């Protein structure tokens, strides 16, 4: 009888532990692939749009790096991150272009300008298996604002986690041109 009560109690506890109350959020089984990209508002710019400031920014990207005296190659994925640091005002990202080592345009990442709200961010990914850019690949990012804002942070994070090796590093963007009071 004691064994039957113990077994019954154990089954009840297991069943109750595996159930959830209605409205209780379920935890994902894995964190991989659970990232959601915020919706960005597409904006239309015309010749009469008042622009207070903006920039053209160059961001180096590394699709691979050499090690072991250039005998071995480690392929990397790259995430371009654009972060609006202004506390109150949006910025408008007008262009995100990806170029290869030779300076040839590979891809336009935006079809139309998008608004990035205050303290919001967005990113663009070059997969580890995409080696079209080569070692000297880069992004050119252009943004504008209708009011004076604090400059955004534009940088790339490269990462590889192959086998027992892992590497990651950040490549900051560099301002090529400031656009003021157009």
């Amino acid at each position: 009888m004691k064994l039957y009560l113990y077994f019954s109690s154990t089954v009840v506890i297991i069943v109750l532990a595996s159930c959830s109350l209605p409205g209780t959020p379920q935890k994902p089984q894995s964190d991989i692939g659970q990232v959601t990209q915020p919706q960005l508002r597409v904006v239309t710019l015309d010749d009469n749009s008042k622009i207070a400031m903006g920039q053209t920014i160059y961001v180096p990207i590394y699709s691979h790096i050499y090690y072991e005296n250039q005998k071995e190659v480690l392929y990397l994925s790259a995430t371009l991150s654009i972060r609006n640091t202004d506390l109150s005002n949006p910025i408008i990202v007008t262009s995100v272009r990806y170029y290869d080592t030779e300076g040839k345009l590979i891809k336009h990442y935006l079809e139309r300008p998008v608004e990035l709200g205050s303290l919001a961010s967005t990113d663009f990914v070059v997969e580890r298996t995409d080696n079209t850019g080569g070692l000297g690949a880069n992004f050119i990012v252009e943004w504008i604002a209708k009011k004076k804002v604090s400059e955004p942070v534009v940088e790339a994070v490269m990462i590889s986690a192959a086998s027992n090796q892992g590497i990651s590093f950040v490549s900051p963007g560099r301002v090529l041109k400031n656009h003021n009071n157009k």
Side-chain angles (χ1 to χ4, degrees):
M1 184 72 162
K2 282 185 176 182
L3 182 59
Y4 175 76
L5 286 175
Y6 174 76
F7 179 74
S8 298
S9 299
T10 304
V11 170
V12 169
I13 290 171
I14 291 171
V15 169
L16 288 175
S18 66
C19 295
S20 63
L21 297 173
T24 304
Q26 298 291 318
K27 290 184 179 179
Q29 295 294 327
S30 169
D31 289 340
I32 297 173
Q34 299 298 320
V35 177
T36 57
Q37 180 75 322
Q39 291 293 325
L40 298 175
R41 188 170 77 90
V42 174
V43 294
T44 303
L45 299 174
D46 58 28
D47 293 338
N48 297 327
S49 295
K50 182 181 175 192
I51 306 303
M53 63 183 299
Q55 293 177 323
T56 300
I57 301 172
Y58 174 92
V59 186
I61 299 294
Y62 301 87
S63 64
H64 63 278
I65 55 173
Y66 298 108
Y67 66 100
E68 299 289 330
N69 295 326
Q70 295 185 352
K71 294 179 184 175
E72 300 291 331
V73 174
L74 185 60
Y75 293 99
L76 307 166
S77 62
T79 303
L80 173 72
S81 177
I82 304 171
R83 298 169 179 256
N84 182 0
T85 63
D86 198 86
L87 296 170
S88 307
N89 299 298
I91 64 171
I92 298 169
V93 181
T94 58
S95 180
V96 176
R97 298 183 311 272
Y98 184 53
Y99 293 86
D100 70 7
T101 299
E102 303 297 322
K104 178 184 167 198
L105 178 64
I106 296 173
K107 182 177 181 178
H108 283 277
Y109 276 82
L110 289 180
E111 291 182 26
R112 299 188 54 207
V114 294
E115 184 175 85
L116 196 56
S118 60
L119 298 178
S121 63
T122 192
D123 56 72
F124 303 89
V125 176
V126 178
E127 299 290 334
R128 184 176 61 86
T129 56
D130 181 353
N131 297 308
T132 56
L135 190 59
N138 62 82
F139 276 101
I140 298 293
V141 175
E142 294 180 306
W143 68 271
I144 58 173
K146 294 180 179 182
K147 296 180 179 181
K148 187 172 167 94
V149 296
S150 57
E151 294 179 3
V153 172
V154 181
E155 60 191 1
V157 178
M158 272 64 63
I159 186 168
S160 179
S163 302
N164 295 329
Q165 300 179 40
I167 186 170
S168 65
F169 57 95
V170 175
S171 180
R174 289 159 177 77
V175 176
L176 297 178
K177 188 174 183 182
N178 284 302
H179 310 285
N180 296 314
N181 297 327
K182 286 186 178 178

